[in-house]
Amino acid sequence: MKRIKIFDTTLRDGEQSPGCSMNLNEKIEVARCLEKLKVDVIEAGFAISSKGDFESVKTIAETVRDCTVASLARANTGDIDAAYEAVRNAVDPRIHLFIATSPLHMEYKLKMTPETVLQKTADMVRYAARYCSNIEFSAEDATRSDPEFLAKVVTAAIQNGATVINIPDTVGYATPEEVKELFSYLIGHVENADRVEFSAHCHNDLGMAVANSLAAVSAGALQIECTVNGLGERAGNTALEEVVMAMKTRADRFPLQPRLDTTKIFRASKTVYNIIGQSAPINKPIVGKNAFAHESGIHQHGVLANRLTYEILTPESVGIGKNAMVLGKHSGKHAFAAHLSELGYELTQEELAKTFERFKALCDKKKTVNDLDIEALVHDKSRGSESGDYTLDRFDVHSGNCATATCTIRLKKEETLTEEVSLGDGPVDAAFRAVDKIVCPPAHTFENYAIQSVSEGKDTLGEVVVKLRCDGEDYTGRGLSTDIMEASILAYLNAVNRLCAEHRPEGKEA
Ligand code: KIV
Ligand code: ZN
């Protein structure tokens, strides 16, 4: 049975955009979420681009069982060798190779004639097809290419073994009508077009990525490339949650459907935002805080009479629960574990014990603990420390509008306690300076500090994200506490520990 395949490139096109980098564990966490979502293909990275990318593509290929795993490669043998080496142990490995086909890209970026691009396409697809039978070919900047030349390149790719043909709108320039025309033209004119799957890969520079992807589907595309939350270069890629819910909600217009489990969308979105230290804009379709809120009296009245008056899809369909408080300080560990499992979390015994302990502590501090709080506790990794990390033992902070802020901090590393004090431009600055005095991290720039409340109420948990940059790499730290100073210190310490772990001289224990 034909259906629309979802190719997720959060870990490649999404991750390569500024401020969205992830470490290996975070990428694995995202890959697991994508597998639960039942995407068809996970593009796990660009294997040749760095040692870290190679390792993460390889690990994901060896971890994920229910999806095809792809690595990107330029049209050269070195890239293709690395891509295959990284994905070869996947249940269904795919090499995704690309070359640009627009006059601008060929002349100024590749410095190649169209004839050379055509020849390279044939040679490199044939080269990749010796490794595996699942080969995707992308014509970069396809929507600004000459359609006749593009058809020749696509024909060469199919003749030499490509099984998926991707037509990217690399700079987000095309309109839905143009996309539909281009796909119809290619599918109608290219020899053996019916033997391959056509795929759309749209960028959102003019806000048309989702509309363009749907236009491609209307013209016969069978694969959509997208990212969770629409992450990606510049204005991002097609947002997975939006394009999938558009197809599901308008099934009357899209007879071919994706296999996705939409009830896992909200969780995937939160996981990705949490990892990159961002949150959804409140009016973001599907996953924004207001996406299902009905504020005005007229709308509320209508929804009460019949939900369908103003609601075209339900929060439940994307996995947004009611956040009802069903557990409290008297709940036992079994009830807690059962509730976590209802929410879709499977924790190890050790993780469960730690999370339960923190849940109990939170119940003492906060009047009501709801699912948002519990999920924040599950996601919070800041308390987990690696050997050699500094952990927070205690802090004492003083600030006021007529006094210079001061912070005294005591950190623990293995069994050693170290205390320092610092002044600062406000309590957060004073605390971070005190941490620096103890840890002495390598030179870095301070990129971002963000704080947000997890749920409602004055006693809410505060979640702080701190981002540091060193040698072009981002180090993100997170902290969670009902005390925002504590959350800030935990987040900073988390980032600094990661930075120090990466810059430890090789072979040297912390
Ligand atoms: O936007 C683009 O053209 C790409 C290709 C490499 C597929 O990301
Ligand atoms: Zn792209």
Side-chain angles (χ1 to χ4, degrees):
M1 257 265 280
K2 266 192 186 173
R3 61 181 166 79
I4 301 299
K5 295 200 177 146
I6 298 296
F7 173 116
D8 181 278
T9 182
T10 308
L11 295 172
R12 199 276 298 169
D13 223 344
E15 204 261 351
Q16 79 190 30
S17 61
C20 295
S21 58
M22 305 176 199
N23 66 26
L24 177 62
N25 286 338
E26 291 165 339
K27 286 182 186 174
I28 293 171
E29 192 178 344
V30 172
R32 290 217 165 97
C33 265
L34 295 173
E35 193 177 20
K36 283 195 183 134
L37 258 178
K38 290 191 182 299
V39 305
D40 297 276
V41 186
I42 296 177
E43 184 163 53
F46 187 4
I48 193 82
S49 68
S50 71
K51 221 171 128 200
D53 242 51
F54 180 89
E55 277 314 316
S56 56
V57 177
K58 191 167 182 320
T59 313
I60 290 166
E62 287 163 4
T63 308
V64 162
R65 300 289 88 187
D66 194 29
C67 314
T68 300
V69 178
S71 169
L72 188 66
R74 286 164 299 192
N76 67 61
T77 55
D79 276 37
I80 295 169
D81 292 343
Y84 182 64
E85 199 45 43
V87 296
R88 64 186 299 170
N89 295 330
V91 169
D92 181 26
R94 175 181 292 185
I95 300 172
H96 174 194
L97 72 106
F98 75 99
I99 193 162
T101 52
S102 67
L104 262 172
H105 278 232
M106 289 192 288
E107 182 176 350
Y108 295 101
K109 191 183 81 171
L110 297 177
K111 302 195 189 329
M112 283 181 194
T113 62
E115 291 69 35
T116 313
V117 166
L118 188 58
Q119 191 58 48
K120 265 217 170 302
T121 301
D123 293 346
M124 291 302 106
V125 171
R126 195 176 331 113
Y127 182 82
R130 289 181 335 169
Y131 279 132
C132 69
S133 57
N134 194 342
I135 304 295
E136 173 166 336
F137 171 76
S138 285
E140 193 189 9
D141 207 15
T143 52
R144 292 194 299 168
S145 304
D146 168 42
E148 272 177 39
F149 174 65
L150 184 60
K152 280 189 194 158
V153 173
V154 168
T155 305
I158 298 174
Q159 272 167 358
N160 286 281
T163 46
V164 180
I165 298 294
N166 186 37
I167 306 297
D169 183 27
T170 303
V171 290
Y173 179 74
T175 64
E177 287 80 7
E178 285 169 330
V179 170
K180 192 165 179 181
E181 257 171 44
L182 183 59
F183 274 80
S184 303
Y185 169 75
L186 292 172
I187 294 173
H189 282 76
V190 166
E191 212 179 299
N192 291 326
D194 56 338
R195 297 213 186 142
V196 296
E197 281 167 12
F198 275 79
S199 162
H201 176 111
C202 301
H203 281 264
N204 204 30
D205 299 66
L206 296 175
M208 292 192 281
V210 171
N212 283 339
S213 305
L214 296 175
V217 168
S218 307
L222 290 173
Q223 176 178 279
I224 296 178
E225 304 201 354
C226 49
T227 58
V228 174
N229 301 330
L231 298 192
E233 292 278 8
R234 307 179 308 277
N237 290 56
T238 300
L240 177 147
E241 60 284 358
E242 295 176 24
V243 80
V244 167
M245 289 318 290
M247 278 189 290
K248 294 270 182 194
T249 309
R250 297 306 310 271
D252 56 325
R253 305 290 298 182
F254 298 97
L256 297 184
Q257 288 280 309
R259 70 165 181 173
L260 220 92
D261 177 356
T262 63
T263 64
K264 303 287 189 302
I265 282 181
F266 192 59
R267 169 75 39 79
S269 163
K270 274 190 83 171
T271 302
V272 170
Y273 274 132
N274 194 278
I275 286 173
I276 62 170
Q278 292 178 20
S279 51
I282 56 169
N283 61 342
K284 169 129 181 33
I286 317 297
V287 294
K289 201 170 170 190
N290 284 359
F292 296 97
H294 302 282
E295 281 293 329
S296 87
I298 294 177
H299 286 205
Q300 285 175 351
H301 180 85
V303 169
L304 284 176
N306 181 342
R307 270 178 104 154
L308 296 178
T309 49
Y310 287 100
E311 209 169 75
I312 56 165
L313 64 157
T314 63
E316 294 79 25
S317 65
V318 295
I320 300 177
K322 295 208 165 44
N323 299 322
M325 210 265 316
V326 291
L327 296 170
K329 63 200 279 178
H330 301 297
S331 306
K333 198 157 139 195
H334 285 300
F336 184 69
H339 189 59
L340 280 184
S341 145
E342 248 169 57
L343 292 174
Y345 293 104
E346 304 302 336
L347 303 192
T348 62
Q349 282 307 317
E350 197 191 341
E351 286 168 338
L352 177 64
K354 273 193 194 156
T355 314
F356 184 62
E357 204 179 299
R358 294 191 64 195
F359 163 72
K360 285 287 192 186
L362 187 59
C363 288
D364 283 336
K365 287 189 181 158
K366 209 172 166 280
K367 249 199 274 163
T368 53
V369 176
N370 66 21
D371 288 348
L372 291 173
D373 298 309
I374 294 175
E375 292 197 23
L377 291 181
V378 174
H379 283 289
D380 182 38
K381 306 282 191 296
S382 63
R383 299 284 169 116
S385 56
E386 307 282 325
S387 84
D389 278 359
Y390 283 92
T391 54
L392 177 63
D393 184 59
R394 58 180 293 173
F395 73 94
D396 182 21
V397 67
H398 293 270
S399 87
N401 62 350
C402 300
T404 307
T406 342
C407 182
T408 307
I409 281 204
R410 196 160 77 189
L411 299 182
K412 192 171 178 186
K413 182 170 164 177
E414 267 107 51
E415 291 313 307
T416 312
L417 290 168
T418 315
E419 190 167 289
E420 275 292 352
V421 60
S422 180
L423 302 174
D425 182 12
V428 174
D429 184 44
F432 292 180
R433 283 173 189 271
V435 169
D436 282 349
K437 280 187 177 179
I438 301 173
V439 181
C440 302
H444 60 270
T445 52
F446 192 90
E447 293 297 311
N448 198 19
Y449 170 92
I451 181 161
Q452 72 177 107
S453 61
V454 169
S455 51
E456 267 110 54
K458 284 191 209 151
D459 59 354
T460 179
L461 275 170
E463 191 166 41
V464 173
V465 176
V466 164
K467 206 166 265 182
L468 310 177
R469 185 166 297 161
C470 176
D471 295 339
E473 290 285 325
D474 285 337
Y475 298 88
T476 305
R478 281 177 207 84
L480 185 71
S481 172
T482 47
D483 178 322
I484 57 165
M485 272 313 298
E486 185 177 27
S488 302
I489 296 168
L490 289 170
Y492 188 62
L493 204 50
N494 188 215
V496 163
N497 277 327
R498 287 178 162 196
L499 174 59
C500 293
E502 281 279 300
H503 290 80
R504 240 166 240 151
E506 211 133 303
K508 194 158 176 228
E509 286 301 307

